[in-house]
Amino acid sequence: MSAILQLTDYLRLPIVAIVCVCLTIKLVHILWYHYVVSTGRDPNCKAPLPPGGMGWPIIGESFYVLIQGSQFYSDSFRRFGTRMFKTHLFGSPTIRIYGAENLHTILHGEHNLVESSWPKSTQTLLGNVLTLSSGDRHTILRRHVSRAFTHDALEGYVHLALSVYKLHGSIVMCSLQPSIQDGVDSWSREESVLAFDVTRRLFFEIASVVLCGFDRREIEGEVMATAFMDFTRGFFTLPFDLPGTPYRKALTARKTLLKNLDKVVNKKLKLSPEEDKRDALRILMEHDEDMEGHVSTESLKADMLDLLNAGFNTTSSAATTLLYHISKKPELLKRIRRELAELRLLERSNGLTFDRLTECKYLTNVVKEGLRMGPPIGGGFRKVLKTFELEGYQIPKGWTIIYSIRDTIELSEGYSNKDQFNPDRFNPDRQEDQKGGRYNYPIFGGGSRSCMGKQFAQLILKILLVELARTCSVEPLYKEPVKFRAMPIPHPVEDLPLRFKKLDPSDIVKDAMSTV
């Protein structure tokens, strides 16, 4: 008995210490919550704040996002049972929202209710570029760069020989179709390929050549595409430059990317507008010359990073999602072949045009369904300019709003059997993307900051599917279930091994004539 009492006395102090520490942590947690809420809430608005927590001092709930990814957002929506919740992320009190009507309010409230505002980490990594610009500068830049995505420009990107230019004595093909044809042909010569890996390399090359005017022979596509993954992983994190952190890795990747851009930047700067082609980067250069009188090397490299990130990261993600579902459902390519045969586009000798691709309704639906199943952009950031109410909750001035594209689609009641890949949901007799309003399918955002390159991205994906349908089958070599991670862009956790099997032309024609 005395031994037990002695043991109890021995353990009492550590137990008391542990209890005190726990109570102190809990007290700090409570005080932090009340401090943020009391200082952030607008006393002139009677509406309550949305439900939710504030995490820990300074870091808030950012570590939960870093560890759980998009699952943190999905779990929070389910836990609170509302279409919005409050939290503290990346150094700012934040409200995460979803829903078509809520997105309409935010996306069309630019300059009135909200303005574009990205985390400090994103701003540091990208710099003062088009994507992060706001106000008059964004309006002017957007007006200039939109010239690279007009109907005529898109038509030119498709043609085989309409976008050829001279670069220090060499001829460079600046079109989409031959690059994608070469890519698909090279994949079919391999026993297996990793889908996310090869699409990143292919679409990086396309974005480099078409948007920035690179010489494709000077691009270290594999090195650059890999570095971009580490670069983008640092966008939505705490800007702590510490060893092993995503932010430190992103800074290192940025140095690698900028170093690899030195050669092509210097060559681009030496070209006159007459020698260069009318790509998006040249248009940005002309704007800088008009506004500043010169183009700096550093600003040009920053613009390149911005264009490349916007031009290949999301499309390679969408392409990987499409390849995954096509490998599971061979009938998708069969129906595309049938449509191409009906429009006399099945043979490679029949050249593609932007308008002819627009006629391919089923092909368009397949692309739309791929984007619905794996939205490449999960959402966007806005800073609240003045307090307003949304669904009966207060949205305080100075807070950050993150609108969720992914959750808006996943939790929408407008889609039937939403876990199934079904392009027919977009047919005129169903139009599930229109149920609940235009932002029931907010893949490309909306309002004054909607994605300028949306037609360009869909064009690339359409040409990829056409070239697959014209030449080969896609066979799965992976084991189910395949897990996709949503951040920084949707991608398979363990990549996606596939076999692209070259088919005899007669079998392709027979396939197109068969009933799916």
Side-chain angles (χ1 to χ4, degrees), residues 380-479:
F381 291 76
R382 296 291 187 270
K383 182 178 180 180
V384 182
L385 296 177
K386 64 181 181 182
T387 301
F388 64 98
E389 292 185 28
L390 199 61
E391 293 195 356
Y393 290 109
Q394 176 185 151
I395 312 296
K397 177 182 177 180
W399 284 40
T400 295
I401 280 187
I402 304 179
Y403 64 87
S404 176
I405 291 173
R406 187 170 297 117
D407 290 301
T408 295
I409 292 174
E410 289 182 357
L411 300 175
S412 169
E413 297 179 357
Y415 299 107
S416 59
N417 301 315
K418 61 184 69 176
D419 293 333
Q420 297 181 10
F421 191 98
N422 183 9
D424 292 330
R425 70 175 74 249
F426 300 108
N427 286 347
D429 60 329
R430 294 176 62 174
Q431 293 185 319
E432 293 183 7
D433 54 323
Q434 299 298 315
K435 295 179 179 178
R438 60 184 293 193
Y439 289 110
N440 194 45
Y441 185 82
I443 297 296
F444 300 104
S448 62
R449 304 187 71 90
S450 62
C451 177
M452 285 186 298
K454 60 184 178 182
Q455 288 186 307
F456 176 73
Q458 293 175 92
L459 179 62
I460 295 176
L461 297 172
K462 286 180 183 179
I463 295 176
L464 174 63
L465 294 181
V466 168
E467 293 307 324
L468 289 174
R470 284 173 162 181
T471 58
C472 60
S473 62
V474 183
E475 301 175 357
L477 297 178
Y478 51 81
K479 294 181 179 180

Side-chain angles (χ1 to χ4, degrees), residues 83-298:
R83 295 199 292 184
M84 66 187 75
F85 67 91
K86 68 178 183 294
T87 179
H88 199 285
L89 298 176
F90 316 124
S92 175
T94 300
I95 295 176
R96 175 93 174 185
I97 71 166
Y98 79 89
E101 294 179 1
N102 290 338
L103 261 64
H104 186 280
T105 299
I106 301 305
L107 295 174
H108 290 272
E110 192 82 14
H111 309 308
N112 177 28
L113 298 177
V114 298
E115 67 177 1
S116 178
S117 179
W118 293 81
K120 181 65 175 179
S121 53
T122 312
Q123 296 177 35
T124 303
L125 290 169
L126 276 179
N128 188 26
V129 294
L130 173 60
T131 299
L132 305 187
S133 63
S134 59
D136 293 339
R137 183 174 187 274
H138 176 265
T139 302
I140 295 170
L141 284 175
R142 184 182 175 88
R143 187 183 305 127
H144 277 269
V145 177
S146 63
R147 287 184 249 161
F149 302 106
T150 62
H151 178 277
D152 289 344
L154 292 168
E155 187 70 79
Y157 297 152
V158 182
H159 282 306
L160 291 175
L162 289 183
S163 299
V164 180
Y165 72 101
K166 292 198 172 204
L167 184 60
H168 290 261
S170 63
I171 301 296
V172 182
M173 295 292 287
C174 285
S175 56
L176 302 177
Q177 196 173 353
S179 294
I180 294 177
Q181 285 180 348
D182 291 347
V184 171
D185 288 343
S186 68
W187 301 345
S188 63
R189 290 192 292 269
E190 303 290 335
E191 285 296 317
S192 67
V193 299
L194 299 177
F196 189 51
D197 180 49
V198 295
T199 55
R200 276 189 300 151
R201 278 185 280 160
L202 173 61
F203 290 154
F204 178 82
E205 178 180 301
I206 289 172
S208 301
V209 173
V210 175
L211 297 181
C212 297
F214 291 3
D215 184 333
R216 65 190 293 183
R217 293 168 296 182
E218 297 177 344
I219 303 169
E220 296 185 59
E222 186 170 359
V223 173
M224 296 282 277
T226 300
F228 256 105
M229 279 301 288
D230 282 337
F231 180 59
T232 53
R233 282 194 181 103
F235 282 3
F236 311 122
T237 184
L238 293 167
F240 296 157
D241 187 7
L242 300 173
T245 61
Y247 187 66
R248 166 65 68 84
K249 293 178 182 178
L251 290 173
T252 303
R254 186 177 191 271
K255 292 179 181 178
T256 300
L257 293 169
L258 292 176
K259 182 179 179 181
N260 279 275
L261 289 175
D262 277 335
K263 185 176 181 180
V264 291
V265 164
N266 291 330
K267 183 174 288 188
K268 187 85 172 178
L269 285 170
K270 293 176 182 177
L271 291 174
S272 67
E274 291 74 27
E275 294 176 295
D276 204 356
K277 74 182 187 69
R278 299 292 297 170
D279 54 52
L281 186 60
R282 168 55 62 180
I283 292 171
L284 280 173
M285 289 172 64
E286 291 178 355
H287 170 265
D288 289 345
E289 288 175 344
D290 292 341
M291 300 298 292
E292 307 292 338
H294 69 286
V295 180
S296 70
T297 302
E298 293 306 311

